């Protein structure tokens, strides 16, 4: 590892930028490569076999091409499935992103917690296991959203997103008596990295105030604990982005703040060997 480590962050789209932003805050000297697998977005609409078959070889290809010192899977829909396959297959430290059920349940005073994620994430056995192990007496409501990640992408890209569309995805999180603050949901886990992109809208539209739990700062702490102490200079660090579709997005101005404001270069070259969509090829 040189004095500036290279950190690769991977998501189905732009949601992982909410994790990147926190990682850049704690490790400003690192080189960043952000990969948005937009050719396969949204992951929430794919089966478990399709996601494993897609992500494991694709991350392997990115590792051989870019030699990162650490990889962050900045996607709950993927992390709740692929982390063990990745760790078995490749010798790079990995950090995943999974629903922050434990801290949410520990913090809830009303003992009513909702988990807002993609339909895939809320159905996962992994997520159900977190509830079994860490609910700590809370009533946990799982809310699977089919559209919120797409709405977040539209909003970040400058498109119009109506309050009604957001609210329709959100309402099921609010459980209990709206007029009795001691007897209603007080904590919502943002179990998809796209959702913090809409945090201002979520706050505005919520029928009553709740704590939104975004795991990004905890992920950033984990990343920094796995890297040697920072020695390089932030000025020498670069910021690169790949969209797997190879389509030009021209979002540099909107995305640069997530990279700490440093100039962002888009690597246009699509991957040489697009991985298959089947599970036979996931490299175990
Ligand atoms: N950002 C991803 C997550 O954290 C999911 C969005 C998608 O459906 O692709 O789950």
């Amino acid at each position: 590892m040189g004095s500036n480590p290279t950190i690769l962050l991977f998501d189905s789209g732009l949601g992982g930028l909410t994790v990147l932003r926190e990682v850049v805050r704690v490790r400003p000297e690192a080189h960043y490569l952000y990969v948005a697998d937009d050719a396969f977005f949204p992951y929430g609409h794919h089966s478990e076999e399709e996601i494993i078959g897609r992500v494991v070889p694709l991350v392997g290809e990115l590792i051989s091409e870019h030699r990162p010192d650490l990889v962050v899977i900045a996607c709950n829909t993927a992390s709740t499935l692929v982390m063990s396959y990745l760790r078995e297959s490749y010798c790079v430290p990995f950090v995943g992103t999974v629903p922050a059920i434990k801290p949410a349940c520990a913090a809830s005073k009303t003992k009513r917690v909702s988990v807002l994620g993609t339909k895939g994430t809320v159905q996962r056995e992994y997520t159900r296991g977190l509830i079994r192990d860490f609910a700590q007496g809370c009533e946990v409501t799982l809310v699977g959203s089919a559209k919120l990640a797409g709405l977040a992408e539209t909003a970040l890209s400058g498109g119009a997103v109506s309050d009604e569309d957001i609210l329709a995805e959100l309402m099921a999180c609010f459980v209990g008596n709206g007029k009795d603050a001691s007897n209603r949901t007080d904590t919502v886990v943002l179990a998809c990295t796209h959702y913090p992109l809409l945090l201002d809208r979520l706050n505005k539209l919520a029928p009553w105030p709740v704590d939104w739990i975004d795991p990004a700062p905890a992920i950033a702490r984990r990343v920094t604990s796995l890297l040697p102490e920072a020695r390089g200079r932030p000025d020498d660090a670069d910021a690169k982005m790949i969209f797997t579709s190879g389509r030009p997005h021209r979002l540099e101005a909107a995305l640069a703040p997530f990279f700490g404001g440093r100039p962002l270069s888009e690597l246009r070259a699509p991957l040489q060997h697009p991985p298959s969509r089947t599970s036979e090829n996931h490299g175990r």
Side-chain angles (χ1 to χ4, degrees):
M1 196 180 299
S3 51
N4 298 70
T6 296
I7 303 177
L8 189 159
L9 287 97
F10 179 91
D11 182 34
S12 58
L14 302 176
L17 293 170
T18 64
V19 177
L20 171 78
R21 176 171 60 192
E22 297 301 323
V23 178
V24 170
R25 252 178 215 147
V26 295
R27 297 306 295 241
E29 89 294 357
H31 298 298
Y32 287 96
L33 172 62
Y34 184 91
V35 181
D37 188 14
D38 63 333
F40 213 58
F41 178 85
Y43 278 10
H45 292 193
H46 291 286
S47 71
E48 298 195 350
E49 292 70 26
E50 285 172 335
I51 292 173
I52 295 166
R54 171 75 180 178
V55 173
V56 179
L58 174 51
V59 169
E61 191 171 339
L62 291 162
I63 290 170
S64 347
E65 208 168 323
H66 299 282
R67 305 273 159 210
D69 297 293
L70 184 142
V71 176
V72 181
I73 305 298
C75 173
N76 294 259
T77 313
S79 297
T80 47
L81 280 176
V82 302
M83 298 311 294
S84 59
Y85 296 102
L86 293 174
R87 291 188 175 116
E88 277 170 31
S89 304
Y90 311 115
C91 292
V92 178
F94 286 98
V95 176
T97 310
V98 297
I101 289 167
K102 186 179 179 183
C105 290
S108 171
K109 295 200 170 50
T110 64
K111 297 283 175 198
R112 288 194 181 189
V113 171
S114 293
V115 178
L116 179 62
T118 64
K119 287 197 180 291
T121 295
V122 302
Q123 279 161 12
R124 298 264 187 275
E125 179 46 36
Y126 188 95
T127 303
R128 311 236 161 191
L130 290 176
I131 294 171
R132 278 195 302 276
D133 293 344
F134 301 118
Q136 300 161 73
C138 291
E139 179 189 309
V140 178
T141 303
L142 288 168
V143 180
S145 167
K147 295 194 187 142
L148 207 49
L151 296 175
E153 296 245 331
T154 304
L156 183 60
S157 310
V161 175
S162 74
D163 286 351
E164 292 68 32
D165 283 349
I166 295 177
L167 207 49
E169 303 300 301
L170 202 61
M171 274 315 285
C173 292
F174 291 84
V175 178
N177 181 348
K179 297 206 168 64
D180 178 0
S182 67
N183 188 20
R184 63 188 191 194
T185 306
D186 66 355
T187 308
V188 178
V189 177
L190 297 174
C192 170
T193 53
H194 279 73
Y195 302 165
L197 293 171
L198 292 171
L199 192 56
D200 290 347
R201 306 282 300 274
L202 301 182
N203 267 319
K204 188 183 125 209
L205 294 168
W208 60 77
V210 291
D211 288 331
W212 306 96
I213 308 292
D214 174 3
I219 295 163
R221 287 194 293 277
R222 176 77 187 137
V223 167
T224 208
S225 76
L226 292 174
L227 292 171
E229 218 167 286
R231 274 177 294 134
R233 291 165 6 112
D235 295 350
D236 298 333
D238 54 34
K240 295 183 180 138
M241 178 131 192
I242 291 176
F243 289 98
T244 56
S245 67
R247 283 192 295 271
H249 285 258
R250 310 198 195 296
L251 287 173
E252 286 82 356
L255 305 191
F258 294 92
F259 289 83
R262 65 189 74 169
L264 175 59
S265 53
E266 200 175 306
L267 303 184
R268 298 218 181 257
L271 297 166
Q272 301 265 308
H273 307 289
S276 88
R277 293 186 171 207
T278 69
S279 57
E280 287 144 32
N281 222 1
H282 57 62
R284 282 187 93 186

